[in-house]
């Protein structure tokens, strides 16, 4: 298995631009998570999908952030408009059931200038 | 919000030595998990210990859990240069993992 796939690996954009991060979970996993990692706040859960349905989006910072999971093999996290404080590494993770080990992707390093 | 807190924040050891790091948490948990993160990479799951377990082994890893003290420890025996990484404990309550700030381990050759 290729593991969790994220793209792009690096993204540099200017403040105000729209950013879309992509994730392909491991086939057969029914749970998908988006996390954000910063030095100041560590790893934070942004949103959790189960069977393609958003279950918990309480970690989404504000309305500028949105996430979708149109099918079991694809999810996006969109930031519009982006701000410098959104600069972070964004991880996607998937798990078989949601309550067991999570498999993380390599992350997308986002820099907003 | 971070529930688990690792101690120490950083650890430097010689290859072949053991490394021990601790994790304390505040509220009751279902399970506690340990993850490793190499620089610039995603997290890799190491071990999951359930709330009714006290000790678990996986290769050179040994994890203990004391629910009465709300603490866990991760021991890496006979460390190798490849063990250089950050180690995170994560408490879970159903699907939600709460990660600590991590312990950065450097293994010197």
């Amino acid at each position: 298995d290729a593991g969790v796939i994220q793209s792009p690996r690096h993204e540099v954009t200017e403040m105000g631009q729209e950013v879309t991060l992509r994730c392909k979970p491991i086939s057969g996993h029914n749970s998908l998570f988006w996390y954000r990692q910063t030095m100041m706040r560590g790893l934070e859960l942004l949103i959790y999908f189960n069977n393609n349905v958003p279950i918990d989006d309480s970690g989404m910072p504000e309305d500028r952030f949105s996430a979708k999971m149109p099918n079991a093999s694809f999810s996006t996290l969109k930031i519009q408009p982006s701000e410098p404080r959104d600069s972070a590494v964004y991880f996607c993770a998937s798990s078989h059931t949601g309550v067991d080990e999570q498999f993380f992707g390599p992350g997308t390093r986002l820099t907003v200038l | 919000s971070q529930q688990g807190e690792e101690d120490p924040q950083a650890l430097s050891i010689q290859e072949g030595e053991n490394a021990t790091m601790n994790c304390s948490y505040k509220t009751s948990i279902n399970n506690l998990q340990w993850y490793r993160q190499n620089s610039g990479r995603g997290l890799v799951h190491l071990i999951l210990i359930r709330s009714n377990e006290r000790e678990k082994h996986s290769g050179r890893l040994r994890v203990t859990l004391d629910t009465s003290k709300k603490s866990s420890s991760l021991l890496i025996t006979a460390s190798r240069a490849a063990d250089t990484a950050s180690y995170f404990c994560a408490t879970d309550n159903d699907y939600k993992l709460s990660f600590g700030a991590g312990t950065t381990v450097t293994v010197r050759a």
Side-chain angles (χ1 to χ4, degrees):
Chain A
D1 199 322
V4 176
I5 299 172
Q6 290 187 249
S7 64
R9 292 294 309 277
H10 302 272
E11 176 82 32
V12 180
T13 191
E14 292 191 346
M15 184 174 66
Q17 296 297 306
E18 176 181 305
V19 174
T20 299
L21 312 182
R22 297 172 177 80
C23 174
K24 177 178 166 52
I26 292 173
S27 176
H29 284 186
N30 65 8
S31 296
L32 184 138
F33 307 81
W34 282 100
Y35 290 90
R36 178 172 66 176
Q37 186 177 36
T38 62
M39 289 293 292
M40 290 295 293
R41 300 175 66 88
L43 265 160
E44 303 173 281
L45 175 65
L46 299 178
I47 188 167
Y48 160 56
F49 289 89
N50 185 264
N51 291 322
N52 313 337
V53 176
I55 303 300
D56 182 352
D57 65 355
S58 60
M60 295 287 262
E62 46 198 274
D63 292 346
R64 297 185 297 107
F65 285 69
S66 63
K68 293 182 180 178
M69 192 164 185
N71 57 61
S73 58
F74 184 65
S75 177
T76 59
L77 178 67
K78 185 180 292 187
I79 308 172
Q80 180 186 24
S82 58
E83 296 182 5
R85 59 193 168 118
D86 301 330
S87 297
V89 181
Y90 291 81
F91 289 102
C92 175
S94 70
S95 75
H96 187 62
T97 65
V99 295
D100 53 1
E101 65 178 291
Q102 295 183 16
F103 294 81
F104 282 73
T108 295
R109 182 173 295 277
L110 173 65
T111 303
V112 183
L113 302 173
Chain B
S1 63
Q2 294 180 10
Q3 147 119 275
E5 297 217 358
E6 290 92 345
D7 171 61
Q9 289 187 334
L11 186 58
S12 180
I13 56 173
Q14 201 73 31
E15 204 166 21
E17 292 180 339
N18 296 343
T20 300
M21 60 211 86
N22 302 298
C23 169
S24 59
Y25 57 93
K26 297 186 177 72
T27 60
S28 62
I29 58 171
N30 294 332
N31 309 301
L32 187 142
Q33 303 184 36
W34 284 91
Y35 286 80
R36 182 188 73 226
Q37 184 178 33
N38 292 89
S39 181
R41 301 281 188 94
L43 280 76
V44 174
H45 181 265
L46 295 176
I47 200 162
L48 180 154
I49 186 165
R50 304 198 184 281
S51 59
N52 61 355
E53 297 177 310
R54 291 297 166 258
E55 189 170 311
K56 204 160 183 180
H57 297 254
S58 177
R60 295 183 296 112
L61 304 180
R62 173 178 169 255
V63 167
T64 63
L65 179 64
D66 187 335
T67 53
S68 67
K69 294 180 179 177
K70 291 188 170 58
S71 68
S72 175
S73 69
L74 171 66
L75 167 68
I76 305 172
T77 60
S79 64
R80 305 167 181 167
D83 295 328
T84 294
S86 292
Y87 292 81
F88 295 87
C89 69
T91 54
D92 74 43
N93 207 328
D94 199 5
Y95 59 85
K96 199 159 192 170
L97 287 184
S98 296
F99 287 87
T103 293
T104 299
V105 175
T106 303
V107 181
R108 306 186 306 273

